[in-house]
Every structure is written in structure tokens, then in C-alpha cells.
Amino acid sequence: TQLLEQSPQFLSIQEGENLTVYCNSSSVFSSLQWYRQEPGEGPVLLVTVVTGGEVKKLKRLTFQFGDARKDSSLHITAAQPGDTGLYLCAGALPPGGTSYGKLTFGQGTILTVHP
Amino acid sequence: KAGVTQTPRYLIKTRGQQVTLSCSPISGHRSVSWYQQTPGQGLQFLFEYFSETQRNKGNFPGRFSGRQFSNSRSEMNVSTLELGDSALYLCASSLKPGLAGGPHNEQFFGPGTRLTVL
């Protein structure tokens, strides 16, 4: 069982459409990060959210951290072919557990945007 | 400034062999973390080194080991390779040690080493 569940696993859309990727857990996280990974490369950090309810915008990408800090979403407006890639969420658990200090990743969402 | 480099980029080994992968962090970064990425399990944390000391370790068997040198370069070793060890091995560097450096202590990933075990 994954600590962080990402959905959907695959997303295939046309250019110009909007989409949302979800990252859910039953655990509370100190912070949550979103990465984008392209074939043949390592993940690249897009954003870090720390405060419950926090919303961050990066051009056409909007990231939200749930009020209870158990979930997050990534919304892309007017998707472009250049947005194609693997999107990963990663959470940092709070101090006190055996997993403290380690980033826990979701399974990822493979996004394909067709021209 | 140069990014994280990993060598080799591709590797093919047979079961039972051992392998050593290398990672050179961004200049000035003293923390190096290793991850295994597979289609089935996703990205999983292996271990983290800072100033030549292992600070954190994931849930992997003892066949997986690593070390860090005084110039912050790091190596990971996998002994007695199994078919299930086939994966993309990613290295990431940061200025401060992992999450202890705060949520904004950004990790920069290398392109990975693709290991295939036959």
C-alpha cells in the first residue's frame, strides 16, 4: 500500500484542456512537493507547499495543499504539449516516526498532451 | 553551474554480479541521496549521505550500500544482483542534509543510471 496515492495514473488530453492531478494520504505531512520528470532525466522540483490550505501558482500550474495537510492537488490550465511528462508528488512526514527525514513519493501521473 | 552527474548512464549485469554506481553532486552541495525508481514501486528512498556519514536509510536489504567521499562524490554498491534490482537509480544533491535542512532545501536530481539485470 502506497503512503501517497496519486490519481489518475495516466492522463491523455488535447492541447488547451484543463486537468487536475490528486495526491492523497491518510497521514499528515510536514510539507509536500511536486516534481516533473521527462524521459531520460531526473525529476525537477516544481513547488513545495508547507502550510495547510496553501495555494501556489506557477504560470498555468496551480498547487494546493489540503487544510489537514493530508492531500494535495495540481491543476494545469490550458495544457500544452510541453507539459507532457511524469508528475510526482512527494511528502515529508513530521518528526517522531521511522520515516522522518525521508521523502515519500507517490506512484506518479503520466500526462500526455496531444497537439 | 554543472548539474548532478551520474555514471555510467546505462549498465547491464547478470544475476549474482555486483555493481557500483557513481554520483557527483552540484559543486558546494554536501548532501547526496540515492533513490530507486521502478514502474511497479515508483521512486523509493535508498539512503542519504552528508559529510561522509550516512544520515538516513530506506527499507532496502543490506546488499545495497553506499559511501561518500571527502569531495562529496558518492557511490552506491549493489552486491549479488537479483532480477528485481533492475531499475533507474537516481542520485540527488542538496546544500543541507535532506529534510533536516527544511522544506525548502531543494534536491537536484541527476539523470540516473539505468541498470538492467539479466
Side-chain angles (χ1 to χ4, degrees):
Chain A
T1 305
Q2 290 283 329
L3 192 58
L4 272 171
E5 296 284 345
Q6 256 187 265
S7 62
Q9 195 174 348
F10 300 95
L11 205 46
S12 180
I13 61 172
Q14 293 296 126
E15 182 175 0
E17 291 183 14
N18 301 332
L19 66 111
T20 302
V21 177
Y22 300 93
C23 183
N24 296 302
S25 177
S26 57
S27 299
V28 174
F29 289 92
S30 299
S31 62
L32 200 135
Q33 299 179 329
W34 284 92
Y35 290 83
R36 180 164 156 255
Q37 184 177 16
E38 296 189 46
E41 298 180 13
V44 174
L45 180 66
L46 296 173
V47 77
T48 300
V49 285
V50 179
T51 308
E54 184 176 1
V55 177
K56 281 193 173 179
K57 293 194 175 185
L58 187 67
K59 295 183 183 177
R60 295 177 292 101
L61 278 60
T62 301
F63 305 85
Q64 187 162 5
F65 201 13
D67 291 338
R69 291 184 291 138
K70 292 183 178 181
D71 55 86
S72 181
S73 64
L74 155 61
H75 182 80
I76 301 179
T77 304
Q80 298 176 359
D83 295 328
T84 294
L86 173 67
Y87 288 81
L88 295 157
C89 64
L93 289 166
T98 56
S99 293
Y100 175 64
K102 308 167 192 172
L103 263 185
T104 299
F105 281 82
Q107 284 283 73
T109 295
I110 298 175
L111 170 65
T112 305
V113 183
H114 301 280
Chain B
K1 129 171 132 171
V4 177
T5 57
Q6 291 187 245
T7 56
R9 291 293 309 275
Y10 301 91
L11 208 45
I12 300 175
K13 292 285 188 179
T14 55
R15 277 181 299 173
Q17 287 187 309
Q18 68 97 28
V19 67
T20 299
L21 313 181
S22 180
C23 171
S24 292
I26 291 173
S27 178
H29 285 193
R30 293 165 60 197
S31 174
V32 173
S33 296
W34 288 90
Y35 295 85
Q36 181 195 66
Q37 187 174 29
T38 60
Q41 298 297 320
L43 247 160
Q44 293 184 291
F45 172 78
L46 278 158
F47 27 66
E48 180 197 10
Y49 287 87
F50 181 78
S51 293
E52 301 178 65
T53 302
Q54 186 180 89
R55 286 183 52 93
N56 222 328
K57 190 176 188 307
N59 298 323
F60 279 82
R63 299 185 297 107
F64 292 81
S65 63
R67 59 177 173 167
Q68 187 180 34
F69 302 95
S70 58
N71 61 358
S72 295
R73 191 177 69 84
S74 177
E75 288 180 348
M76 69 162 279
N77 184 278
V78 187
S79 62
T80 319
L81 283 166
E82 301 177 359
L83 295 179
D85 297 332
S86 294
L88 180 67
Y89 289 88
L90 292 160
C91 153
S93 77
S94 58
L95 274 172
K96 300 176 187 176
L99 300 178
H104 299 290
N105 180 37
E106 183 176 353
Q107 286 188 102
F108 294 84
F109 283 84
T113 293
R114 172 75 62 186
L115 172 64
T116 302
V117 182
L118 303 175

